[in-house]
Amino acid sequence: MRAPAPLLLTLALLGCPAAGSDDPQAPTRAEAIAVEVDAVQRRDLASLYSTSATLRAEREATVIARTRGVVEELLVEEGDLVEAGQPLAVLEDDEQRIEQARTAAVAAARKRDLDRTAALHAKGTLSDNALLDAQVVHDEAKHQAELAALRLERTRISAPYAGRIFRRHVDVGETVTDGT
């Protein structure tokens, strides 16, 4: 099996022309290309690239007030980056604060009434109906307090998600209504 190796070597050498061969079919040597070498230097960019493209926001939201009121404070400007839930504007909230405090006080009083009624009911002094009535009055006062707290919370306009403020449509002192 060793005999084929010298034959392959011979064929390989015959296929390569010798340097300076007079064979007209032998490939000619390529001409040398002149190259200039210089040290690397930091310079201003001399050419500019200009193009146009249409950019679209991944998400876009029009942030609206969920209650009526006068804009008291703007916390961001056009171009600002905001995080999800970050307050953007504050509406006047005097009425909502007063209502929230009033309903919280009423709810606390109704809770005391319910506790007293429950204690008397446990001793057998009050009927089941009196206890149920006290429970209903307490629950209604609690719901009114929660609703007042929600109205107060809605005087703060917040970002629905993180992004950039593109355009602002209100200024301090302007009146906004639900949906504006």
Side-chain angles (χ1 to χ4, degrees):
M1 287 305 259
R2 290 203 168 246
L7 178 63
L8 290 176
L9 182 57
T10 306
L11 291 174
L13 290 176
L14 289 175
C16 297
S21 169
D22 293 332
D23 185 7
Q25 292 185 1
T28 59
R29 190 169 180 197
E31 292 293 322
I33 299 174
V35 176
E36 184 179 335
V37 178
D38 200 358
V40 176
Q41 297 176 4
R42 184 177 294 265
R43 295 184 186 170
D44 290 338
L45 183 63
S47 62
L48 298 174
Y49 175 72
S50 177
T51 187
S52 64
T54 302
L55 299 177
R56 297 183 195 274
E58 183 179 325
R59 292 191 292 180
E60 187 174 326
T62 301
V63 180
I64 58 172
R66 297 191 60 200
T67 189
R68 65 176 178 77
V70 176
V71 178
E72 186 173 79
E73 185 179 7
L74 290 172
L75 305 173
V76 295
E77 291 295 329
E78 290 179 359
D80 288 353
L81 289 174
V82 295
E83 296 297 321
Q86 178 179 340
L88 306 175
V90 178
L91 304 180
E92 288 181 350
D93 59 2
D94 299 334
E95 293 175 24
Q96 289 85 351
R97 284 186 187 280
I98 291 168
E99 183 65 14
Q100 192 265 342
R102 185 189 70 75
T103 57
V106 169
R110 298 302 166 252
K111 173 69 173 139
R112 285 191 304 273
D113 291 346
L114 176 62
D115 292 344
R116 188 173 333 133
T117 303
L120 292 173
H121 179 266
K123 292 180 182 178
T125 341
L126 289 178
S127 68
D128 291 342
N129 284 341
L131 179 60
L132 289 175
D133 289 345
Q135 182 69 49
V136 168
V137 169
H138 166 262
D139 290 347
E140 179 61 26
K142 181 180 169 186
H143 295 308
Q144 289 297 323
E146 290 170 351
L147 189 58
L150 179 63
R151 287 185 186 126
L152 177 60
E153 181 183 318
R154 287 184 174 172
T155 62
R156 305 271 186 263
I157 301 170
S158 301
Y161 52 82
R164 184 176 300 275
I165 302 299
F166 179 67
R167 186 173 296 133
R168 187 186 73 192
H169 298 281
V170 296
D171 288 315
V172 173
E174 286 187 37
T175 300
V176 296
T177 59
D178 293 353
T180 62

